[in-house]
Amino acid sequence: MRHPTNPLKKDFPIFRNHPGLAYLDNTASTQKPDAVIEGVKRFVEFDYANIHRGAYGLSERSEILYERSKEKVRDLIGAATSAEIVYTYNSTYAANILSLSLARSGRLKKGDRVLVSIAEHHANVVPWLVLKEWFGVEVDYFGMTSDCEIDFADFESKMTPDTKVVAVTGASNVTGAVFDVVSLGKRISGMCDRNGEKPLFVVDASQSVPNYRVDVKEMHADFLFFTAHKMMADTGMGVLYGRKDLLKVLEPALSGGGAINWVKKEAFAPAGLPYRFEPGTPNIIGAVSLLHACEYLESIGGYARIEEAERPLISSALERFASLGDSVRLVGPIDPNKKIGIFSFTLKGAHVSDLAERFADANVCVRAGYHCAEPLAAELGLDGTVRMSLYFYNDENDLDAFFRVLEAVISETSE
Ligand SMILES: Cc1ncc(COP(=O)(O)O)c(C=O)c1O
């Protein structure tokens, strides 16, 4: 029996062009609504030019839209001013720019520690490990509870006086667990390192901003980053938020045209905020796509509408997983209120890549592997998982298509 189609699906042309497609790989990237596609098309057809210092109308219009995009993002995450919004190319670039700039500014030196959770995406692990390799910065991990939530006791025990940075994801891209980074930020704001300074709190909001409201002040976040393609905008577009007073004193790790005030043969002066962190021509089209993604989100009712569409699907998927028996191991919280729509699992007797192929054959898009979180897989004793992930345009028909395949494979493997 077919369920009613989610009315929001009609806003996304990919579903018109591929009837019957069950797109359940939203953690990797989300589909784009007409509002974004048409908005970008209009921009390229009518307003596109390079920004900064173009005296002509097209350049001015381009720049107005670029700045409007930042204003929208500022509002989206509760930043104080758009000077705190640095545009990068994705979350991974944002984390690298940040880590290298902290090292270049002497905020992270040999022997200083960076504490991350064991559930981090490689984007929030490898840039810190690079500092370990290059500068002798120590990297340590705190663990999770059995529900895959933050283990606050372990966190506290790892907060040594040498810990200068705590970098944690808002939600795991493998387990779907929503981390209580508001409590974490509050705790950190009451702590001091060896020099009497508050450790910096960095939030990887790559899976948060697409799904629920994030407020940098409420989290006491000093830095936060996310990537636009996971919230309906273009690829090659990312956001690094930094507290203005911190960005002001941070030496940018990268520089060049656009990021400077003046250049002489022997020297240069960096530009003001946030441009000193945006060397070279930015992804102007990506910025406009993010503007339209934010406007589209507002037009459908904001995060309340996302919650309204996703919550019943998350509960339904959890119930259906629970009914499958012991051969399926679902990792992550089983309380629907403690997770976003990410479901990673293994099936006894089936290899995860073979499983993913079976889904692909049935027009169901899921992903198999470590999901760029190998330390987490090692911690959970997993040799990869299949990951099914929802967004607000999915519906029960997509879940039906997914569970039809999974139930068929279970019955084959148990024969
Ligand atoms: C939690 C998390 N952090 C960071 C990233 C990296 O995003 P990007 O590849 O766009 O840099 C991802 C992507 O899957 C993610 O899920």
Side-chain angles (χ1 to χ4, degrees), residues 27 90-92 121 123 169 171 173 204 206-207 225 227 229-230:
T27 298
N90 49 44
S91 285
T92 307
H121 186 282
T169 192
N173 67 308
D204 174 355
S206 307
Q207 296 298 342
F225 56 83
T227 188
H229 68 95
K230 294 187 199 290

Side-chain angles (χ1 to χ4, degrees), residues 122 283 387:
H122 294 164
N283 184 354
R387 183 182 68 190

Side-chain angles (χ1 to χ4, degrees), residues 171-380:
S172 162
N173 67 308
V174 178
T175 67
V178 175
F179 278 1
D180 187 358
V181 285
V182 172
S183 293
L184 194 63
K186 221 176 264 163
R187 283 177 198 227
I188 295 167
S189 67
M191 293 174 169
C192 284
D193 66 17
R194 192 188 334 98
N195 305 325
E197 282 176 357
K198 184 191 91 70
L200 297 174
F201 185 37
V202 181
V203 178
D204 174 355
S206 307
Q207 296 298 342
S208 310
V209 173
N211 286 296
Y212 54 90
R213 196 183 67 83
V214 154
D215 188 310
V216 290
K217 293 202 191 75
E218 194 184 17
M219 290 175 173
H220 294 87
D222 297 305
F223 297 95
L224 174 144
F225 56 83
F226 67 97
T227 188
H229 68 95
K230 294 187 199 290
M231 59 168 298
M232 302 175 283
D234 203 356
T235 49
M237 179 66 213
V239 177
L240 171 64
Y241 157 83
R243 250 178 49 206
K244 193 174 171 188
D245 56 318
L246 292 167
L247 283 182
K248 244 186 189 160
V249 294
L250 212 57
E251 298 282 345
L254 308 172
S255 197
I260 46 81
N261 243 348
W262 54 257
V263 182
K264 297 200 169 120
K265 272 160 80 182
E266 298 81 15
F268 70 93
L273 287 180
Y275 306 108
R276 60 170 64 191
F277 292 97
E278 295 183 8
T281 303
N283 184 354
I284 305 164
I285 297 176
V288 172
S289 80
L290 183 53
L291 168 64
H292 288 295
C294 293
E295 286 177 350
Y296 172 74
L297 182 56
E298 281 171 14
S299 77
I300 61 167
Y303 286 112
R305 184 72 190 273
I306 291 188
E307 286 275 320
E308 187 194 330
E310 286 185 354
R311 282 293 127 207
L313 288 177
I314 294 170
S315 297
S316 168
L318 281 170
E319 279 166 27
R320 292 168 82 160
F321 268 110
S323 71
L324 294 176
D326 290 345
S327 58
V328 175
R329 176 181 173 196
L330 180 68
V331 297
I334 48 167
D335 179 344
N337 298 313
K338 294 189 168 169
K339 68 181 281 148
I340 51 174
I342 298 177
F343 304 85
S344 292
F345 64 96
T346 55
L347 171 63
K348 221 178 259 168
H351 195 275
V352 291
S353 340
D354 297 339
L355 253 177
E357 296 260 328
R358 287 293 298 271
F359 284 107
D361 291 345
N363 215 8
V364 176
C365 309
V366 296
R367 190 162 292 260
Y370 296 105
H371 317 296
C372 291
E374 288 184 35
L376 175 65
E379 176 82 359
L380 296 173

